[in-house]
Amino acid sequence: MSTSTHKSSSGEVQQAIMQGAITREYRADAQQVIQRLNSLRSTEIMSYLQYMQHQYMAVSLLSPAMKSEFQTHATQELDHANRLAERIQQLGGVPIYDPKEIAAKAANVGIAPEQGTTLTEMVVEDLMLERQQIEAYTTLIREIGDQDFVTRHMLIGILAETEKHANELADYLKRST
Ligand SMILES: [Fe+2]
């Protein structure tokens, strides 16, 4: 493989290969962004586990609508975790895959899967978790500002879905209590 062209020096090509999509116009601290994304991803994995648990426990005869709602949310939480992992990799990082480390990172921001004894308790737990995530995403989006547009765009997409979940859960609780 040739490492230089008539336009770029071999040093420039080497740097381009090392940095991929990161150019001098990238203004964020990639290492810091990677850490924050890994932290958010750990909360998405906890959210996935919590929704799946609620899905198992919401017996289909008792609440078929909520059972499928929990399932739908669980699938979307996993998708959020996957989108964060892809971005972590693109920025030169490694998505955390040690379950203990994932649990510790989520616990650091006060998140662990919970399973209440009633359907209402479970929905409240999900609402509280979604609201914590809304806060965390909003904070990071504001911090990133115009320093990393692609990460920002991805975070806004996840935030929109998270807000939708929170609204759905709050609407359910308004109707049922
Ligand atoms: Fe999520």
Side-chain angles (χ1 to χ4, degrees):
M1 188 180 74
S2 167
T3 53
S4 72
T5 68
H6 54 277
K7 278 184 193 159
S8 311
S9 72
S10 90
E12 282 169 339
V13 171
Q14 281 306 323
Q15 195 185 23
I17 292 169
M18 286 294 291
Q19 296 185 330
I22 306 292
T23 68
R24 68 175 81 87
E25 284 300 314
Y26 182 88
R27 297 284 162 83
D29 177 338
Q31 288 312 310
Q32 239 182 53
V33 174
I34 288 163
Q35 275 193 22
R36 301 288 290 278
L37 298 185
N38 258 323
S39 172
L40 283 169
R41 182 168 174 271
S42 71
T43 74
E44 295 290 357
I45 291 167
M46 293 304 142
S47 180
Y48 167 75
L49 292 173
Q50 179 169 301
Y51 273 123
M52 284 308 289
Q53 187 67 12
H54 292 179
Q55 188 268 139
Y56 300 137
M57 298 309 287
V59 182
S60 54
L61 281 176
L62 189 70
S63 51
M66 279 319 287
K67 191 176 172 73
S68 74
E69 193 71 4
F70 286 148
Q71 175 68 64
T72 305
H73 283 204
T75 306
Q76 286 174 341
E77 302 310 328
L78 199 54
D79 179 58
H80 295 169
N82 290 338
R83 278 146 77 181
L84 289 161
E86 275 173 28
R87 188 62 185 152
I88 289 165
Q89 191 279 335
Q90 286 171 359
L91 290 173
V94 179
I96 293 171
Y97 62 96
D98 174 355
K100 286 197 289 292
E101 209 181 326
I102 291 170
K105 276 215 169 263
N108 270 346
V109 289
I111 289 178
E114 291 181 297
Q115 185 223 302
T117 50
T118 67
L119 195 65
T120 301
E121 274 175 36
M122 289 191 265
V123 177
V124 169
E125 288 160 357
D126 295 329
L127 173 61
M128 300 316 275
L129 203 162
E130 298 279 11
R131 284 175 56 84
Q132 276 178 282
Q133 290 186 311
I134 289 167
E135 278 190 357
Y137 277 102
T138 305
T139 304
L140 185 56
I141 290 163
R142 199 171 282 134
E143 277 179 37
I144 285 180
D146 61 0
Q147 298 172 30
D148 175 346
F149 290 109
V150 175
T151 298
R152 178 194 169 98
H153 183 255
M154 176 202 63
L155 292 172
I156 290 173
I158 297 176
L159 174 64
E161 286 169 22
T162 308
E163 288 197 5
K164 188 162 179 275
H165 285 178
N167 281 325
E168 287 167 1
L169 298 167
D171 285 346
Y172 172 85
L173 291 167
K174 279 174 204 148
R175 273 183 272 119
S176 71
T177 52

